[in-house]
Amino acid sequence: KIVIGIAVTIFGIFFLLFLIGLFVGEDDAYTYDAIPDEYQEKLKKDPNNVEALAQIGNSYLEDFQYDSALAYYNRALAINATNSAVLYNVGLVHYNTQQYDESIVALKKCLEAEPNYANAFLIMGHNYYDRQRYDEAFTWYTKAYDAGIENAFLSHVLAYLYDNKGNTSRAITLYREALKLDSSRTEIYSRLAEIDPGNATLYKRLEQQSAQWVGLIAVCKNIL
């Protein structure tokens, strides 16, 4: 019985070590795979290669490893403090972690380096909108829109802000634009029916049709 007990204990220890090694191995491989080989090689040859530092930071950013991303971005900025792309990504990391003031600081530096950086306008708007500072958000979202950013969220949020300001005609235009870009935003139809009563019947019919399509797509996805 003693021999059997010792054998079981030894087996248990080896099995535990195997599991630990397996999980550690997976983590190491996961981290390694997250960084493109070409940038690892560039960084080995030149530790001050800003492009490589930035790209490795981007790999961590895409993997939601924000601390690691910031570490590489900060190394890049220590070499080139006016790299607009890196500054933008620092702003994005801080926004994603709800560090709004830090995000704004980074994005302002980005815009000092590249005044027409459209995506920086957009994230600046997010920083203010998330905190319900709508007037400031409106200013930055307008800059993003005027700079050529075209997406359903931007059109929708600007429509909402114009709507709140009482600019109904502009709101209607942007609500319709948001629907063209993303027909699944069916809640817009209800608001359009309220502020454009002359076309209320049309909006209600379109809302019903869109809801049916969204439901059908959802069923098809579940089947597939």
Side-chain angles (χ1 to χ4, degrees):
K1 290 182 179 179
I2 294 174
V3 172
I4 293 173
I6 293 173
V8 169
T9 301
I10 293 173
F11 175 79
I13 292 171
F14 276 112
F15 183 72
L16 179 62
L17 290 173
F18 170 76
L19 288 177
I20 292 172
L22 182 63
F23 286 123
V24 170
E26 284 181 352
D27 287 342
D28 287 344
Y30 184 73
T31 303
Y32 179 82
D33 290 342
I35 303 173
D37 291 341
E38 61 177 303
Y39 295 113
Q40 293 188 74
E41 292 302 320
K42 286 182 179 180
L43 206 56
K44 287 178 183 177
K45 294 177 182 177
D46 178 13
N48 293 324
N49 188 313
V50 172
E51 180 194 9
L53 289 167
Q55 290 296 338
I56 292 173
N58 293 346
S59 296
Y60 281 119
L61 174 59
E62 291 172 3
D63 207 34
F64 308 106
Q65 298 186 51
Y66 296 127
D67 289 340
S68 297
L70 278 178
Y72 279 93
Y73 290 146
N74 288 333
R75 284 176 61 184
L77 291 173
I79 301 163
N80 180 2
T82 60
N83 187 303
S84 59
V86 174
L87 287 165
Y88 167 77
N89 282 332
V90 169
L92 184 58
V93 167
H94 285 309
Y95 170 71
N96 287 343
T97 54
Q98 297 183 331
Q99 295 175 303
Y100 299 116
D101 290 334
E102 292 86 345
S103 177
I104 288 169
V105 168
L107 292 170
K108 284 184 175 179
K109 290 180 180 178
C110 169
L111 290 167
E112 287 174 5
E114 189 173 336
N116 296 316
Y117 204 120
N119 283 321
F121 296 146
L122 183 65
I123 305 302
M124 284 286 276
H126 292 347
N127 276 296
Y128 289 110
Y129 189 83
D130 283 8
R131 292 181 289 176
Q132 300 181 347
R133 294 167 62 174
Y134 296 132
D135 287 340
E136 290 155 299
F138 176 79
T139 297
W140 289 105
Y141 282 144
T142 300
K143 287 177 180 286
Y145 186 87
D146 291 343
I149 290 187
E150 185 178 288
N151 65 50
F153 170 83
L154 182 57
S155 295
H156 193 168
V157 74
L158 274 174
Y160 170 76
L161 294 172
Y162 272 112
D163 198 352
N164 282 350
K165 290 176 179 291
N167 191 336
T168 304
S169 61
R170 184 62 178 149
I172 290 171
T173 298
L174 287 164
Y175 278 137
R176 289 174 175 174
E177 187 176 285
L179 284 167
K180 286 182 180 178
L181 294 168
D182 181 3
S183 60
S184 69
R185 293 175 178 261
T186 55
E187 70 277 11
I188 291 176
Y189 288 114
S190 295
R191 184 55 187 158
L192 280 171
E194 292 177 10
I195 62 177
D196 187 14
N199 293 306
T201 302
L202 172 63
Y203 294 133
K204 290 177 181 178
R205 185 170 71 250
L206 290 171
E207 182 179 15
Q208 291 174 349
Q209 291 174 350
S210 296
Q212 289 171 354
W213 276 109
V214 170
L216 180 60
I217 291 170
V219 169
C220 291
K221 284 182 178 180
N222 289 332
I223 292 173
L224 295 175

mmCIF file with all atom_site columns, all heavy atoms in Angstrom, residues 138-150:
data_model
loop_
_atom_site.group_PDB
_atom_site.id
_atom_site.type_symbol
_atom_site.label_atom_id
_atom_site.label_alt_id
_atom_site.label_comp_id
_atom_site.label_asym_id
_atom_site.label_entity_id
_atom_site.label_seq_id
_atom_site.pdbx_PDB_ins_code
_atom_site.Cartn_x
_atom_site.Cartn_y
_atom_site.Cartn_z
_atom_site.occupancy
_atom_site.B_iso_or_equiv
_atom_site.pdbx_formal_charge
_atom_site.auth_seq_id
_atom_site.auth_comp_id
_atom_site.auth_asym_id
_atom_site.auth_atom_id
_atom_site.pdbx_PDB_model_num
ATOM 1   N N   . PHE A 1 138 ? -19.627 66.920 -30.361 1.00 0.00 ? 138 PHE A N   1
ATOM 2   C CA  . PHE A 1 138 ? -20.168 67.400 -31.635 1.00 0.00 ? 138 PHE A CA  1
ATOM 3   C C   . PHE A 1 138 ? -19.084 68.084 -32.473 1.00 0.00 ? 138 PHE A C   1
ATOM 4   O O   . PHE A 1 138 ? -18.989 67.857 -33.688 1.00 0.00 ? 138 PHE A O   1
ATOM 5   C CB  . PHE A 1 138 ? -21.320 68.375 -31.370 1.00 0.00 ? 138 PHE A CB  1
ATOM 6   C CG  . PHE A 1 138 ? -21.893 68.992 -32.615 1.00 0.00 ? 138 PHE A CG  1
ATOM 7   C CD1 . PHE A 1 138 ? -22.784 68.286 -33.406 1.00 0.00 ? 138 PHE A CD1 1
ATOM 8   C CD2 . PHE A 1 138 ? -21.540 70.280 -32.997 1.00 0.00 ? 138 PHE A CD2 1
ATOM 9   C CE1 . PHE A 1 138 ? -23.317 68.859 -34.567 1.00 0.00 ? 138 PHE A CE1 1
ATOM 10  C CE2 . PHE A 1 138 ? -22.052 70.862 -34.148 1.00 0.00 ? 138 PHE A CE2 1
ATOM 11  C CZ  . PHE A 1 138 ? -22.946 70.142 -34.930 1.00 0.00 ? 138 PHE A CZ  1
ATOM 12  N N   . THR A 1 139 ? -18.266 68.905 -31.835 1.00 0.00 ? 139 THR A N   1
ATOM 13  C CA  . THR A 1 139 ? -17.197 69.608 -32.544 1.00 0.00 ? 139 THR A CA  1
ATOM 14  C C   . THR A 1 139 ? -16.241 68.628 -33.207 1.00 0.00 ? 139 THR A C   1
ATOM 15  O O   . THR A 1 139 ? -15.907 68.751 -34.394 1.00 0.00 ? 139 THR A O   1
ATOM 16  C CB  . THR A 1 139 ? -16.409 70.508 -31.575 1.00 0.00 ? 139 THR A CB  1
ATOM 17  O OG1 . THR A 1 139 ? -17.286 71.514 -31.054 1.00 0.00 ? 139 THR A OG1 1
ATOM 18  C CG2 . THR A 1 139 ? -15.231 71.178 -32.277 1.00 0.00 ? 139 THR A CG2 1
ATOM 19  N N   . TRP A 1 140 ? -15.823 67.607 -32.457 1.00 0.00 ? 140 TRP A N   1
ATOM 20  C CA  . TRP A 1 140 ? -14.848 66.664 -32.986 1.00 0.00 ? 140 TRP A CA  1
ATOM 21  C C   . TRP A 1 140 ? -15.454 65.706 -34.002 1.00 0.00 ? 140 TRP A C   1
ATOM 22  O O   . TRP A 1 140 ? -14.816 65.365 -35.008 1.00 0.00 ? 140 TRP A O   1
ATOM 23  C CB  . TRP A 1 140 ? -14.186 65.893 -31.845 1.00 0.00 ? 140 TRP A CB  1
ATOM 24  C CG  . TRP A 1 140 ? -13.267 66.760 -31.049 1.00 0.00 ? 140 TRP A CG  1
ATOM 25  C CD1 . TRP A 1 140 ? -13.474 67.281 -29.802 1.00 0.00 ? 140 TRP A CD1 1
ATOM 26  C CD2 . TRP A 1 140 ? -11.990 67.248 -31.473 1.00 0.00 ? 140 TRP A CD2 1
ATOM 27  N NE1 . TRP A 1 140 ? -12.415 68.053 -29.426 1.00 0.00 ? 140 TRP A NE1 1
ATOM 28  C CE2 . TRP A 1 140 ? -11.486 68.051 -30.429 1.00 0.00 ? 140 TRP A CE2 1
ATOM 29  C CE3 . TRP A 1 140 ? -11.220 67.087 -32.620 1.00 0.00 ? 140 TRP A CE3 1
ATOM 30  C CZ2 . TRP A 1 140 ? -10.247 68.690 -30.500 1.00 0.00 ? 140 TRP A CZ2 1
ATOM 31  C CZ3 . TRP A 1 140 ? -9.991  67.720 -32.702 1.00 0.00 ? 140 TRP A CZ3 1
ATOM 32  C CH2 . TRP A 1 140 ? -9.517  68.512 -31.650 1.00 0.00 ? 140 TRP A CH2 1
ATOM 33  N N   . TYR A 1 141 ? -16.691 65.290 -33.769 1.00 0.00 ? 141 TYR A N   1
ATOM 34  C CA  . TYR A 1 141 ? -17.354 64.422 -34.740 1.00 0.00 ? 141 TYR A CA  1
ATOM 35  C C   . TYR A 1 141 ? -17.565 65.165 -36.069 1.00 0.00 ? 141 TYR A C   1
ATOM 36  O O   . TYR A 1 141 ? -17.450 64.564 -37.146 1.00 0.00 ? 141 TYR A O   1
ATOM 37  C CB  . TYR A 1 141 ? -18.693 63.935 -34.200 1.00 0.00 ? 141 TYR A CB  1
ATOM 38  C CG  . TYR A 1 141 ? -18.600 62.819 -33.190 1.00 0.00 ? 141 TYR A CG  1
ATOM 39  C CD1 . TYR A 1 141 ? -19.493 62.764 -32.107 1.00 0.00 ? 141 TYR A CD1 1
ATOM 40  C CD2 . TYR A 1 141 ? -17.647 61.803 -33.303 1.00 0.00 ? 141 TYR A CD2 1
ATOM 41  C CE1 . TYR A 1 141 ? -19.428 61.729 -31.186 1.00 0.00 ? 141 TYR A CE1 1
ATOM 42  C CE2 . TYR A 1 141 ? -17.574 60.779 -32.375 1.00 0.00 ? 141 TYR A CE2 1
ATOM 43  C CZ  . TYR A 1 141 ? -18.467 60.748 -31.318 1.00 0.00 ? 141 TYR A CZ  1
ATOM 44  O OH  . TYR A 1 141 ? -18.394 59.721 -30.408 1.00 0.00 ? 141 TYR A OH  1
ATOM 45  N N   . THR A 1 142 ? -17.862 66.436 -35.977 1.00 0.00 ? 142 THR A N   1
ATOM 46  C CA  . THR A 1 142 ? -18.032 67.229 -37.203 1.00 0.00 ? 142 THR A CA  1
ATOM 47  C C   . THR A 1 142 ? -16.725 67.309 -37.975 1.00 0.00 ? 142 THR A C   1
ATOM 48  O O   . THR A 1 142 ? -16.702 67.193 -39.209 1.00 0.00 ? 142 THR A O   1
ATOM 49  C CB  . THR A 1 142 ? -18.535 68.648 -36.866 1.00 0.00 ? 142 THR A CB  1
ATOM 50  O OG1 . THR A 1 142 ? -19.795 68.547 -36.190 1.00 0.00 ? 142 THR A OG1 1
ATOM 51  C CG2 . THR A 1 142 ? -18.726 69.471 -38.122 1.00 0.00 ? 142 THR A CG2 1
ATOM 52  N N   . LYS A 1 143 ? -15.625 67.483 -37.247 1.00 0.00 ? 143 LYS A N   1
ATOM 53  C CA  . LYS A 1 143 ? -14.308 67.503 -37.889 1.00 0.00 ? 143 LYS A CA  1
ATOM 54  C C   . LYS A 1 143 ? -14.031 66.163 -38.585 1.00 0.00 ? 143 LYS A C   1
ATOM 55  O O   . LYS A 1 143 ? -13.521 66.128 -39.709 1.00 0.00 ? 143 LYS A O   1
ATOM 56  C CB  . LYS A 1 143 ? -13.208 67.777 -36.849 1.00 0.00 ? 143 LYS A CB  1
ATOM 57  C CG  . LYS A 1 143 ? -13.142 69.213 -36.330 1.00 0.00 ? 143 LYS A CG  1
ATOM 58  C CD  . LYS A 1 143 ? -12.073 69.329 -35.263 1.00 0.00 ? 143 LYS A CD  1
ATOM 59  C CE  . LYS A 1 143 ? -11.961 70.745 -34.701 1.00 0.00 ? 143 LYS A CE  1
ATOM 60  N NZ  . LYS A 1 143 ? -11.314 71.666 -35.647 1.00 0.00 ? 143 LYS A NZ  1
ATOM 61  N N   . ALA A 1 144 ? -14.375 65.069 -37.899 1.00 0.00 ? 144 ALA A N   1
ATOM 62  C CA  . ALA A 1 144 ? -14.154 63.746 -38.480 1.00 0.00 ? 144 ALA A CA  1
ATOM 63  C C   . ALA A 1 144 ? -14.994 63.560 -39.736 1.00 0.00 ? 144 ALA A C   1
ATOM 64  O O   . ALA A 1 144 ? -14.518 63.045 -40.759 1.00 0.00 ? 144 ALA A O   1
ATOM 65  C CB  . ALA A 1 144 ? -14.486 62.664 -37.452 1.00 0.00 ? 144 ALA A CB  1
ATOM 66  N N   . TYR A 1 145 ? -16.235 63.983 -39.677 1.00 0.00 ? 145 TYR A N   1
ATOM 67  C CA  . TYR A 1 145 ? -17.144 63.864 -40.824 1.00 0.00 ? 145 TYR A CA  1
ATOM 68  C C   . TYR A 1 145 ? -16.635 64.705 -42.001 1.00 0.00 ? 145 TYR A C   1
ATOM 69  O O   . TYR A 1 145 ? -16.569 64.230 -43.139 1.00 0.00 ? 145 TYR A O   1
ATOM 70  C CB  . TYR A 1 145 ? -18.542 64.311 -40.415 1.00 0.00 ? 145 TYR A CB  1
ATOM 71  C CG  . TYR A 1 145 ? -19.602 64.090 -41.464 1.00 0.00 ? 145 TYR A CG  1
ATOM 72  C CD1 . TYR A 1 145 ? -20.284 62.876 -41.546 1.00 0.00 ? 145 TYR A CD1 1
ATOM 73  C CD2 . TYR A 1 145 ? -19.932 65.093 -42.379 1.00 0.00 ? 145 TYR A CD2 1
ATOM 74  C CE1 . TYR A 1 145 ? -21.261 62.667 -42.505 1.00 0.00 ? 145 TYR A CE1 1
ATOM 75  C CE2 . TYR A 1 145 ? -20.903 64.888 -43.345 1.00 0.00 ? 145 TYR A CE2 1
ATOM 76  C CZ  . TYR A 1 145 ? -21.572 63.686 -43.403 1.00 0.00 ? 145 TYR A CZ  1
ATOM 77  O OH  . TYR A 1 145 ? -22.523 63.477 -44.359 1.00 0.00 ? 145 TYR A OH  1
ATOM 78  N N   . ASP A 1 146 ? -16.242 65.936 -41.711 1.00 0.00 ? 146 ASP A N   1
ATOM 79  C CA  . ASP A 1 146 ? -15.738 66.828 -42.757 1.00 0.00 ? 146 ASP A CA  1
ATOM 80  C C   . ASP A 1 146 ? -14.412 66.337 -43.341 1.00 0.00 ? 146 ASP A C   1
ATOM 81  O O   . ASP A 1 146 ? -14.082 66.652 -44.489 1.00 0.00 ? 146 ASP A O   1
ATOM 82  C CB  . ASP A 1 146 ? -15.566 68.254 -42.209 1.00 0.00 ? 146 ASP A CB  1
ATOM 83  C CG  . ASP A 1 146 ? -16.897 68.925 -41.889 1.00 0.00 ? 146 ASP A CG  1
ATOM 84  O OD1 . ASP A 1 146 ? -17.939 68.440 -42.375 1.00 0.00 ? 146 ASP A OD1 1
ATOM 85  O OD2 . ASP A 1 146 ? -16.897 69.930 -41.138 1.00 0.00 ? 146 ASP A OD2 1
ATOM 86  N N   . ALA A 1 147 ? -13.676 65.562 -42.533 1.00 0.00 ? 147 ALA A N   1
ATOM 87  C CA  . ALA A 1 147 ? -12.399 65.023 -43.007 1.00 0.00 ? 147 ALA A CA  1
ATOM 88  C C   . ALA A 1 147 ? -12.586 63.791 -43.881 1.00 0.00 ? 147 ALA A C   1
ATOM 89  O O   . ALA A 1 147 ? -11.611 63.247 -44.411 1.00 0.00 ? 147 ALA A O   1
ATOM 90  C CB  . ALA A 1 147 ? -11.498 64.685 -41.824 1.00 0.00 ? 147 ALA A CB  1
ATOM 91  N N   . GLY A 1 148 ? -13.841 63.337 -44.023 1.00 0.00 ? 148 GLY A N   1
ATOM 92  C CA  . GLY A 1 148 ? -14.115 62.242 -44.959 1.00 0.00 ? 148 GLY A CA  1
ATOM 93  C C   . GLY A 1 148 ? -14.407 60.896 -44.344 1.00 0.00 ? 148 GLY A C   1
ATOM 94  O O   . GLY A 1 148 ? -14.573 59.908 -45.065 1.00 0.00 ? 148 GLY A O   1
ATOM 95  N N   . ILE A 1 149 ? -14.491 60.818 -43.019 1.00 0.00 ? 149 ILE A N   1
ATOM 96  C CA  . ILE A 1 149 ? -14.827 59.528 -42.405 1.00 0.00 ? 149 ILE A CA  1
ATOM 97  C C   . ILE A 1 149 ? -16.288 59.215 -42.679 1.00 0.00 ? 149 ILE A C   1
ATOM 98  O O   . ILE A 1 149 ? -17.170 60.038 -42.443 1.00 0.00 ? 149 ILE A O   1
ATOM 99  C CB  . ILE A 1 149 ? -14.546 59.538 -40.899 1.00 0.00 ? 149 ILE A CB  1
ATOM 100 C CG1 . ILE A 1 149 ? -13.035 59.557 -40.664 1.00 0.00 ? 149 ILE A CG1 1
ATOM 101 C CG2 . ILE A 1 149 ? -15.176 58.327 -40.219 1.00 0.00 ? 149 ILE A CG2 1
ATOM 102 C CD1 . ILE A 1 149 ? -12.624 59.396 -39.230 1.00 0.00 ? 149 ILE A CD1 1
ATOM 103 N N   . GLU A 1 150 ? -16.526 58.025 -43.171 1.00 0.00 ? 150 GLU A N   1
ATOM 104 C CA  . GLU A 1 150 ? -17.876 57.610 -43.543 1.00 0.00 ? 150 GLU A CA  1
ATOM 105 C C   . GLU A 1 150 ? -18.198 56.294 -42.876 1.00 0.00 ? 150 GLU A C   1
ATOM 106 O O   . GLU A 1 150 ? -17.717 55.238 -43.282 1.00 0.00 ? 150 GLU A O   1
ATOM 107 C CB  . GLU A 1 150 ? -17.976 57.477 -45.071 1.00 0.00 ? 150 GLU A CB  1
ATOM 108 C CG  . GLU A 1 150 ? -19.372 57.154 -45.579 1.00 0.00 ? 150 GLU A CG  1
ATOM 109 C CD  . GLU A 1 150 ? -19.427 57.078 -47.099 1.00 0.00 ? 150 GLU A CD  1
ATOM 110 O OE1 . GLU A 1 150 ? -19.337 58.124 -47.762 1.00 0.00 ? 150 GLU A OE1 1
ATOM 111 O OE2 . GLU A 1 150 ? -19.525 55.952 -47.620 1.00 0.00 ? 150 GLU A OE2 1
#
